[in-house]
Amino acid sequence: MASRVRMVFGWLALFCAGAAGYAEAGSQTPSLEEIPSGKTRVIDLSYAINDHLVSWPGDAKAFEAKTYATVAKEGYFTRSFWMLEHYGTHMDAPAHFPPGKTTLDEIAAEKFFGPAVVLDVGKEAALDPDYVLSVKKIAAWEEKHGKIPPGAIVILRTGWAARWPDVVRYRNQDADGKMHFPGFSMEAAKLLLDRKVSGLGCDTLSIDPGNSPDFPVHHLVLGAGVYQLENLADLSGLPEAGAYVIAAPIKLEGGSGGPVRVFALVAER
Ligand SMILES: [Zn+2]
């Protein structure tokens, strides 16, 4: 839940050819002046991790925690845990798809801070679970709020978080096992890469729509060195513009991805 605090600080390489058009974005200083000042709410956009979250179909085991020491026996309480890198609210590192790309620990920390661009497609997704973000929708956002700035963290708000953690409703599989949930289109992703965003995020299992057999947006976006945030928690408290996102992944050496704690800072007016 949001808490009140005072803040002072401010495809295959798209098929190789397509992705080649996007140079891996260099590290850039986060625009700290964009951080809301004054009375600010912190919204936690991550789910707590346990063994009964919605996993990717086919992942038999996703998480396990074991008690390692107890207060009664050892005098202190610790656990060990095991989990898949892509489970719950997590970050996809560029190395998740294209070989030779940045692993989780190698992503420049500056990219974890950025102004939030929230693209709301709740109405469209409610009518069509296979909806993909249109370029028009981005144009409408820019019309209202100005050009998407470099270093932005762009979040697709589909409303799917309301289905979490109901496996059946969240995956929304048909009789053939194909999933149906909204995602980014290739055209939209290309435009966002042109804007030099730091990351893309969504409140579904995947940046690509659920019915995608080959994840073209993953190949394109990760191929361009941009990370992805998946299974973001309830985004309803975010304004379309003006919030600031901090996406802090575990610094897992060699990781293709991993759990991430995502916060949005929202000015209280
Ligand atoms: Zn992932």
Side-chain angles (χ1 to χ4, degrees):
M1 291 306 292
S3 67
R4 261 182 183 214
V5 293
R6 279 183 181 274
M7 296 262 162
V8 185
F9 57 101
W11 177 334
L12 288 148
L14 181 56
F15 314 71
C16 292
Y22 299 99
E24 188 146 346
S27 85
Q28 55 185 64
T29 307
S31 41
L32 296 175
E33 70 274 13
E34 306 259 9
I35 294 177
S37 58
K39 224 173 212 183
T40 306
R41 273 186 307 139
V42 177
I43 304 178
D44 189 342
L45 300 179
S46 303
Y47 294 120
I49 302 167
N50 57 49
D51 62 358
H52 47 275
L53 304 181
V54 184
S55 60
W56 191 259
D59 289 341
K61 182 182 168 187
F63 175 84
E64 184 181 60
K66 284 182 180 165
T67 299
Y68 186 67
T70 63
V71 175
K73 228 175 147 190
E74 286 85 6
Y76 51 86
F77 171 51
T78 61
R79 306 191 308 171
S80 65
F81 73 93
W82 174 97
M83 71 182 290
L84 294 177
E85 291 177 334
H86 299 261
Y87 180 63
T89 307
H90 68 275
M91 179 177 284
D92 289 358
H96 182 35
F97 271 69
K101 287 286 178 180
T102 315
T103 53
L104 196 59
D105 56 309
E106 295 170 337
I107 301 172
E110 290 84 359
K111 293 190 181 181
F112 301 145
F113 301 80
V117 167
V118 178
L119 301 168
D120 192 305
V121 298
K123 274 186 196 148
E124 293 85 347
L127 292 171
D128 176 12
D130 297 325
Y131 173 81
V132 288
L133 176 68
S134 67
V135 166
K136 261 189 182 170
K137 203 82 193 171
I138 299 172
W141 190 97
E142 291 193 324
E143 182 91 6
K144 236 167 130 180
H145 306 289
K147 195 171 173 183
I148 293 175
I153 297 172
V154 179
I155 293 173
L156 188 64
R157 179 166 60 197
T158 71
W160 232 246
R163 300 171 178 236
W164 184 274
D166 183 326
V167 179
V168 172
R169 293 190 64 234
Y170 197 77
R171 289 183 182 160
N172 201 29
Q173 288 169 291
D174 61 25
D176 297 327
K178 186 182 273 188
M179 296 190 285
H180 297 276
F181 55 76
F184 288 81
S185 67
M186 284 294 281
E187 296 70 30
K190 280 179 194 165
L191 176 56
L192 294 169
L193 292 178
D194 282 342
R195 295 289 185 266
K196 304 269 181 265
V197 301
S198 282
L200 298 188
C202 61
D203 55 359
T204 64
L205 266 174
S206 174
I207 289 286
D208 279 278
N211 61 3
S212 170
D214 49 7
F215 316 112
V217 178
H218 271 70
H219 286 283
L220 177 73
V221 171
L222 299 174
V226 169
Y227 64 77
Q228 303 174 164
L229 302 167
E230 294 170 329
N231 296 321
L232 288 169
D234 182 14
L235 301 165
S236 60
L238 296 187
E240 289 189 353
Y244 194 90
V245 168
I246 299 170
I250 184 172
K251 195 167 181 177
L252 184 62
E253 194 168 314
S256 71
V260 61
R261 195 77 185 260
V262 184
F263 305 102
L265 307 180
V266 181
E268 288 196 333
R269 295 199 173 90

